[in-house]
Amino acid sequence: MSARPTEGNPLRAFVAQVWGSIFRHGLPTTDKVAARTALTNFFLHIHPVRVKKSAIRVSYTLCLGGLSFFLFILLTISGLFLMFYYIPSVDQAYQNIKDLQFVATFGLVIRNLHRWAAHGMVITVWLHMARVFYQGSYKPPREFNWAIGTFLLLTTLLLSFSGYLLPWDQLAVWAITVGTNMAKYAPIAGPYTRYLLLGGRNVGQGALIRFYVLHVVALPLIGFILMVIHFWRVRKDGFTGGL
Amino acid sequence: MATTVDGTPSETGDGASVPVNRTTATGVRTPRPRGTGPELAATPLVVRRREEEETVVTFPALVWKEFLAGLAAFVVLLAVSIQVNAPLLQRANTAITPNPAKAPWYFLGLQELLERFPPVMAGVAFPSFVIIFMILTPYLDRNPSRRPQDRKVAIALFTIYMCLTVCFVVIGVFFRGMAFNWDWTRILGHPGVKPAV
């Protein structure tokens, strides 16, 4: 549809102008139009205009990288809903989760979705790493993107780990106690690292607010920045394609 | 088939480079624009495309696949979320230690190592080594081939690592009972004891 107003009906012309100002090109009727649409759309621009057919075969990618990103978006949205109800205080957190389960409309489903998607993301990111290794896609010129991928895997694990504490139930507190005890064993820095992470010697209010801030702000931001670089490099280095 | 940079098929067959024709029909040579991209190349770039390297436009070919994959993942997750509730135990009580106290499942491999090795080794040295080795993998693997038949050692080593990781997590989740001791009964039940209905 053109951005230029058409003759006759002024309302149609106005609608055409608004539509044309938002979407600069129409639906992908031909390859040429499809290419232009992809080039002029912010969201579609994440992809190159053309790729090797073998590079996007589902049996080749298994959709694992894409699914990891999809789960990240799903977790961000469901996490936002949970944030409306959750207060990171040792006196209120557990009751907030109970309220989510039994009082808030769809609260239970959103919490379940957030929990299972988080486990799912750990699995898909890990499998994506395995897929990339088995296909040798980390080889030059993609060495550094593999390193970024490693940090993304670590960020995913830390995101999941920091979220584990938030329900403030027995499972949460003791899993974090066991997990952070591992950090204690590092020579010299170990005990300080644990103290820094927990904001104290035990898992208490200090730990809860630290984990909360890490979980909802710091780690998603780090993950997002790493993802942007990861995707940009995938585009710039080109797709590997079939073996 | 060979194609020149501007996408026009070359007429001289496979592999032969064709100079870009800058002379118009009247024989007057048009001035070459200086300093612009491929114009600087002495000979035109020839892009060879083999049959299997056929390309497609990402929109809609790739976007459509991503949409379907995302939709399928969402439907599966929603179905699971409606059926299975996320665990929520009793309110946290630092005075009562559950037995066994376990880390989240993806860290159970580390917890398993902690049972077997000195803490500095299991809690610090091993994970640091794995992370650093992973980052360095592309720089250490000097084999340029991506074909599996040329990468037998790399694939074997990685597969061993993957299997160990999965085994440790499975053991940690299903076969570790009281005080993190080995426990078949979590999976198989107690021999001779019928579960109470």
Side-chain angles (χ1 to χ4, degrees), chain A residues 54 60 134-137 240-243, chain B residues 145-149 151:
Chain A
S54 64
Y60 178 74
Y134 281 120
Q135 289 167 350
S137 302
T240 51
L243 296 167
Chain B
S145 174
R146 288 180 55 232
R147 300 188 325 160
Q149 51 268 49
R151 304 174 58 226

Side-chain angles (χ1 to χ4, degrees), chain B residues 164-183:
Chain B
L164 279 176
T165 317
V166 174
C167 283
F168 279 166
V169 169
V170 169
I171 288 171
V173 174
F174 297 109
F175 296 104
R176 289 290 173 189
M178 295 276 270
F180 218 67
N181 287 323
W182 189 272
D183 188 0

Side-chain angles (χ1 to χ4, degrees), chain A residues 77-89 91-111 166-167 212 216:
Chain A
I77 295 168
S78 57
L80 271 176
F81 285 131
L82 296 178
M83 278 176 77
F84 290 136
Y85 284 89
Y86 181 79
I87 300 163
S89 137
D91 298 326
Q92 296 181 61
Y94 185 72
Q95 192 55 47
N96 292 156
I97 302 292
K98 282 281 182 202
D99 285 349
L100 267 168
Q101 288 202 334
F102 297 107
V103 181
T105 311
F106 292 120
L108 180 62
V109 173
I110 299 282
R111 173 168 131 80
L166 304 187
Y212 177 73
V216 304

Side-chain angles (χ1 to χ4, degrees), chain B residues 71-83:
Chain B
L71 193 67
F74 182 66
V75 168
V76 169
L77 272 174
L78 200 61
V80 171
S81 301
I82 289 167
Q83 290 296 320

Side-chain angles (χ1 to χ4, degrees), chain B residues 174-175 182-195:
Chain B
F174 297 109
F175 296 104
W182 189 272
D183 188 0
W184 288 112
T185 56
R186 289 168 75 87
I187 291 294
L188 303 178
H190 291 271
V193 178
K194 282 188 180 164

Side-chain angles (χ1 to χ4, degrees), chain B residues 149-162:
Chain B
Q149 51 268 49
D150 301 335
R151 304 174 58 226
K152 290 198 175 105
V153 176
I155 287 179
L157 287 175
F158 189 75
T159 307
I160 291 169
Y161 167 68
M162 287 274 126

